[in-house]
Amino acid sequence: MAEAAESPGNAGTASPRPLFAGLSDISISQDIPVEGEITIPVRSQIREFDSSTLNESVQNTIMRDLKAVGKKFMHVLYPRKSNTLLRDWDLWGPLILCVTLALSFFQSLCVLGYCILPLTVAMLICRLVLLAEPGPVNFMVRLFVVIVMFAWSIVASTAFLADSQPPNRKALAVYPVFLFYFVISWMILTFTPQ
């Protein structure tokens, strides 16, 4: 009868024992062997070894990355159809090119980067406006915001760059900046969520 009172299905007055109450008293003998094997298939071991760089020396890692960048530069110099560039992407090559370009016009690049701030604000406002119902009013609000922020970026960058150019070449210096900000503005305006 005492056993029936402790069973979970019985509504006896005795408090039920916890489900795993007696497990702490059980000890497993060291003599019981574990059955089965834990192995990694040979094919996945090879793949893991090839992609793991934890045990690779720094020199080998740098050389491997430089060879990969060199192969990608060769694809640019001798263009051919290849999907491997899209699958094996990195940012080392663009970093090298941007740093190289920055050594000659670092000040201008810095100014252009900071003057993107109004367009970044335009992007945030346009994303918020896109949360509302689409329609002509929605587009007109986004168009107005992008035009104002585009003009703000142009004015800010030309104010910084005007002193670095001779007076007769200011328009020539502003034209590429205008195109740069125009493309970014166009991308902000034409973005639609999927």
Side-chain angles (χ1 to χ4, degrees):
M1 193 68 149
E3 293 174 4
E6 292 181 5
S7 68
N10 193 352
T13 58
S15 63
R17 285 182 25 188
L19 188 60
F20 301 109
L23 289 179
S24 63
D25 299 334
I26 298 174
S27 64
I28 298 176
S29 172
Q30 298 293 335
D31 299 337
I32 300 174
V34 178
E35 295 182 19
E37 291 182 27
I38 299 176
T39 60
I40 299 173
V42 175
R43 185 181 308 152
S44 65
Q45 281 179 343
I46 293 171
R47 203 175 323 123
E48 228 177 76
F49 180 73
D50 288 341
S51 65
S52 175
T53 59
L54 293 176
N55 296 329
E56 188 176 48
S57 71
V58 174
Q59 180 182 4
N60 289 344
T61 303
I62 291 173
M63 291 309 294
R64 181 178 40 82
D65 290 345
L66 286 176
K67 286 178 185 176
V69 169
K71 285 180 185 177
K72 290 173 185 153
F73 280 147
M74 290 307 291
H75 276 281
V76 171
L77 294 175
Y78 300 109
R80 54 184 176 262
K81 200 172 190 177
S82 175
N83 290 337
T84 58
L85 289 178
L86 293 176
R87 281 184 267 140
D88 187 27
W89 62 273
D90 64 53
L91 296 176
W92 288 116
L95 176 68
I96 292 169
L97 293 175
C98 287
V99 168
T100 303
L101 287 175
L103 293 175
S104 55
F105 55 94
F106 187 66
Q107 180 184 10
S108 300
L109 190 63
C110 178
V111 167
L112 294 178
Y114 276 107
C115 290
I116 291 178
L117 177 65
L119 292 174
T120 304
V121 172
M123 186 242 348
L124 294 173
I125 293 171
C126 287
R127 295 304 180 271
L128 290 174
V129 171
L130 281 173
L131 295 175
E133 277 188 41
V137 174
N138 186 316
F139 179 77
M140 294 306 289
V141 168
R142 290 187 298 135
L143 179 65
F144 176 74
V145 168
V146 168
I147 288 174
V148 168
M149 297 302 187
F150 168 71
W152 190 352
S153 291
I154 292 292
V155 169
S157 63
T158 54
F160 284 118
L161 297 176
D163 295 337
S164 64
Q165 300 296 324
N168 60 347
R169 302 189 79 193
K170 286 184 182 181
L172 188 60
V174 170
Y175 179 68
V177 173
F178 175 85
L179 286 179
F180 176 64
Y181 291 139
F182 178 77
V183 169
I184 293 174
S185 300
W186 185 259
M187 288 173 21
I188 292 170
L189 184 63
T190 59
F191 173 80
T192 54
Q194 300 299 337

